[in-house]
Amino acid sequence: MEPVALVVDKLKAFLKSGEDFVTGLIRRGENSARHNPIEILKRLQREAFADLMKLRDRQDKVERFLTFYRASKQGPFREDGTRVRGEVDLMGTFLLMDDLDQQGFDAISRGGIRTGIVSRLIFEATIRQKDFLEAEFIAGHHSQSYSGDVLQRPLSLAKVCYTANVTDWFTMVAIPMGARCRDVAVSTNPSAYQEKGLTDFSCYGPPLLHQYGGSAIGLMVRRLNAVASLAQFVAGHPSTVGFRHCFSTFVQIICQLPRSTKLSLFGLHQVSKFGGQVSLGSLTMPLGILKHRKPSETSIEPSALPLDQNMEACLSSGSVALMLESELDESMSIRGSVQLKNSDPRNLQWAVTMSDSPEDEMGWGLSLSGMIQDTMSCDHFQVEAFIKFNLGERFALQPGLVYLMDGSNQMPALVFRSTWSL
């Protein structure tokens, strides 16, 4: 038995030594792999990726928490702050003549020269990154006309406008108060409405763009070579014969022509309805659906009734305007406009303006305008010329000369205008 036991012991020792040899080979392979630079880089990359994923998860949790907190605490105006812009506009006139009669006052009034000082504060807020809310406050002391009316206005809210950019080519505008046609019109030059002439005739666009309409809602559509705008206005005004409601429809179409030339067509249709001596407010309109009338034994013609008793008296009017503008270079432009009232060539207003308005240099402007009314004695023609000095980025001085010809009246005037932006 001893030889058998000896053989078994030797076999066990051989197996043990073989196992130790294999284990040593494996350990040496692992140690060599650990010291291999490529394996070290792969291991570090795996560890860094795992750490980055953990950090990203924590960042997502923090962003979700902040979004919820802002939505619950700050409301819809959390994305951008409210921007404030201010402007002080001062205008004075020196009439180069000895004496004025009533016809002279009326001629200057039709010339659209308004003197005085007007201050504006405009608050703009961005909502949902694409919509804008604007509130404008105005205070001033300026002449409404040279017939003696002076408008003294404390700081008060003049306009509220909400613009919703639904898509890149479709925009909706809602103006609860202080709406004008230019607020719902599409301007091919964003800074065009900021240009200030010496009179109302040299302002941008035909006169109907600057008419007040009360409350308005409008739609704007922009395509590649054409732009269209449609708006509806509602306003209420007290008058000597009762409270008057005015409904206006505004239409604008712009066509892009070659060589930076644009052709604009405007239309404004107004319907005024007198609602009696009781003022119900600008947005309260009696439709007369449930109105009961007592039968009368004698028939009375509506024209025989006083105007304050005729509850359904309506007046309708309309204006059509055409404007052609062209950009000669980056700062120089020329434009001309013609406006007809009630499609009557005897009631026409026209203007041709050429201006050069660089931002940091001296600018100038020249305007020829006129007006034809029903009677030939009311023909009006005027020439304006001015030089604009930009003194820094916020102050501008604009002296100029205006020459009026209204029927048989002729009068020159020196006009000075200064604008200070805040």
Side-chain angles (χ1 to χ4, degrees), residues 1-13:
M1 297 294 295
E2 292 181 0
V4 175
L6 182 60
V7 171
V8 172
D9 292 337
K10 290 182 177 181
L11 182 59
K12 289 182 178 179

Side-chain angles (χ1 to χ4, degrees), residues 34 52 75 83 119 141 149 171 175 254 284 313 352 373 377 400 410:
R34 289 180 181 178
L52 288 176
R83 298 178 299 275
S119 302
H141 181 284
D149 297 334
T171 302
I175 307 176
I254 302 178
T284 304
V352 178
Q373 295 185 354
S377 60
Q410 300 182 13

Side-chain angles (χ1 to χ4, degrees), residues 36-55:
N36 189 0
I38 298 177
E39 295 296 334
I40 294 174
L41 291 176
K42 290 182 178 179
R43 186 176 69 255
L44 291 176
Q45 184 179 6
R46 289 193 296 268
E47 294 175 357
F49 181 75
D51 294 340
L52 288 176
M53 293 301 297
K54 292 179 181 179
L55 290 176

Side-chain angles (χ1 to χ4, degrees), residues 41-248:
L41 291 176
K42 290 182 178 179
R43 186 176 69 255
L44 291 176
Q45 184 179 6
R46 289 193 296 268
E47 294 175 357
F49 181 75
D51 294 340
L52 288 176
M53 293 301 297
K54 292 179 181 179
L55 290 176
R56 184 175 180 181
D57 293 339
R58 293 177 183 177
Q59 183 181 1
D60 292 340
K61 292 180 181 179
V62 173
E63 289 180 354
R64 287 195 296 269
F65 175 76
L66 292 178
T67 302
F68 174 77
Y69 177 79
R70 291 175 180 175
S72 60
K73 296 294 183 180
Q74 298 184 4
F77 298 96
R78 64 184 183 275
E79 298 177 0
D80 292 318
T82 301
R83 298 178 299 275
V84 182
R85 295 187 290 109
E87 182 183 84
V88 179
D89 191 7
L90 176 64
M91 186 170 178
T93 305
F94 296 94
L95 301 177
L96 304 180
M97 54 190 316
D98 297 332
D99 193 12
L100 285 177
D101 53 6
Q102 186 61 40
Q103 293 182 354
F105 279 108
D106 296 339
I108 297 177
S109 177
R110 282 190 292 269
I113 303 177
R114 304 178 186 274
T115 59
I117 182 170
V118 178
S119 302
R120 289 182 176 86
L121 282 177
I122 302 175
F123 296 84
E124 297 178 350
T126 303
I127 304 175
R128 292 195 297 271
Q129 297 180 355
K130 295 170 57 177
D131 301 346
F132 300 94
L133 178 63
E134 177 182 328
E136 181 178 354
F137 293 82
I138 295 181
H141 181 284
H142 63 93
S143 61
Q144 187 71 8
S145 66
Y146 273 83
S147 60
D149 297 334
V150 177
L151 179 61
Q152 298 182 4
R153 184 173 186 174
L155 184 64
S156 58
L157 182 62
K159 183 179 69 173
V160 177
C161 178
Y162 183 84
T163 303
N165 294 309
V166 182
T167 62
D168 295 337
W169 55 271
F170 181 70
T171 302
M172 298 182 64
V173 179
I175 307 176
M177 61 177 298
R180 285 188 286 184
C181 291
R182 74 177 193 181
D183 296 324
V184 295
V186 180
S187 175
T188 55
N189 185 5
S191 61
Y193 292 125
Q194 305 298 328
E195 297 179 2
K196 298 181 182 296
L198 299 179
T199 67
D200 294 344
F201 282 86
S202 57
C203 294
Y204 179 81
L208 62 86
L209 281 180
H210 306 281
Q211 293 186 9
Y212 284 92
S215 304
I217 184 170
L219 307 176
M220 304 176 187
V221 179
R222 299 176 177 87
R223 304 306 292 175
L224 183 60
N225 295 323
V227 181
S229 176
L230 175 64
Q232 181 66 43
F233 293 83
V234 178
H237 308 282
S239 63
T240 57
V241 295
F243 197 79
R244 179 171 65 94
H245 290 92
C246 183
F247 305 89
S248 305

Side-chain angles (χ1 to χ4, degrees), residues 246-263:
C246 183
F247 305 89
S248 305
T249 303
F250 172 78
V251 178
Q252 176 196 19
I253 299 176
I254 302 178
C255 297
Q256 179 70 45
L257 302 179
R259 297 182 180 180
S260 301
T261 303
K262 305 175 186 66
L263 179 64

Side-chain angles (χ1 to χ4, degrees), residues 386-399:
F386 65 85
I387 299 176
K388 185 177 181 181
F389 299 96
N390 295 312
L391 306 178
E393 298 180 355
R394 300 183 180 273
F395 185 77
L397 181 62
Q398 189 173 339

